[in-house]
């Protein structure tokens, strides 16, 4: 069941270029003791994979710009299912499983999270817990750099567990002249952009 104190909303879909793909951002409304707060981001308990990806096929890199423009993020199937149910309740759209890979041994789902990397764009920050044994109320974090910087250091090229902060958008395939709507038989693809990571340390997930 979705929490009635949380609602996912989407802006009106707009067409990308001259094709048939339509795009819209999601925002999130939280009812905090009667006050409604609208935020552009969502936080999830995740693992972010900063290990190098040097996979080649026939001499060509398969995972281009890994750690610079995108990373793998692992989350529980239950978490992803909850996100999909919130999207359905708030926007009416069913969410496609395209772009996700389920690992039955770990009961985790892998998604590709984009990252801002160009000049003038805020790159995602990594914050590390100062005291891993502190209580949740006393937990504090210090910034150690951007994801791109941190992933370049061998000592940090591990899988980090913590809370990922994401902006979320949706893409829907439709016609070039007809805006798609829920119930037309189309599913929405969710696109996650990593904004910040607060990590408690490395893990093997």
């Amino acid at each position: 069941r979705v929490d009635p104190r949380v609602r996912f909303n989407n802006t009106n879909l707009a067409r990308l270029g001259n094709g048939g793909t339509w795009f819209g951002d999601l925002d999130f409304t939280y009812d905090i003791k009667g006050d409604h707060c609208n935020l552009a981001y969502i936080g999830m308990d995740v693992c972010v994979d900063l290990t190098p990806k040097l996979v080649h096929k026939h001499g060509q890199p398969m995972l281009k710009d890994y750690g610079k423009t995108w990373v793998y993020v692992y989350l529980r199937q239950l978490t992803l299912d909850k996100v999909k149910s919130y999207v359905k309740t708030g926007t009416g759209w069913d969410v496609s499983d395209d772009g996700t890979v389920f690992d039955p041994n770990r009961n985790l789902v892998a998604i590709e999270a984009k990252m801002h990397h160009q000049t003038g764009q805020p790159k995602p920050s990594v914050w590390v817990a100062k005291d891993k044994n502190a209580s949740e109320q006393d937990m504090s974090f210090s910034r150690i750099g951007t994801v791109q910087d941190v992933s370049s250091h061998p000592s940090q090229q591990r899988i980090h567990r913590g809370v990922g902060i994401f902006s979320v958008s949706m893409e829907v395939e439709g016609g070039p002249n007809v805006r798609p709507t829920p119930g037309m038989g189309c599913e929405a693809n969710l696109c996650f952009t990593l904004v910040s990571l607060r990590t408690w340390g490395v893990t093997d997930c």
Side-chain angles (χ1 to χ4, degrees), residues 66-80:
Y66 189 84
K68 177 183 177 182
T69 65
W70 67 283
V71 287
Y72 280 125
V73 171
Y74 311 123
L75 64 161
R76 294 187 302 162
Q77 180 71 56
L78 179 63
T79 301
L80 182 60

Side-chain angles (χ1 to χ4, degrees), residues 50-141:
L50 299 186
T51 60
K53 299 291 183 285
L54 302 177
V55 180
H56 289 71
K57 185 176 182 180
H58 304 304
Q60 298 296 320
M62 297 175 61
L63 302 177
K64 186 177 181 181
D65 292 330
Y66 189 84
K68 177 183 177 182
T69 65
W70 67 283
V71 287
Y72 280 125
V73 171
Y74 311 123
L75 64 161
R76 294 187 302 162
Q77 180 71 56
L78 179 63
T79 301
L80 182 60
D81 288 344
K82 184 174 288 189
V83 169
K84 292 165 65 174
S85 66
Y86 277 113
V87 172
K88 173 67 173 179
T89 300
T91 71
W93 284 102
D94 291 305
V95 176
S96 168
D97 288 324
D98 288 351
T100 65
V101 178
F102 177 63
D103 182 347
N105 295 319
R106 296 178 175 176
N107 198 30
L108 293 174
V109 179
I111 62 174
E112 297 181 11
K114 300 178 181 178
M115 298 190 297
H116 292 312
H117 63 283
Q118 296 179 344
T119 302
Q121 293 180 322
K123 297 178 180 179
S125 296
V126 179
W127 299 75
V128 174
K130 294 181 179 179
D131 182 1
K132 300 176 184 177
N133 298 317
S135 65
E136 184 176 343
Q137 293 79 9
D138 297 329
M139 185 76 71
S140 61
F141 297 82

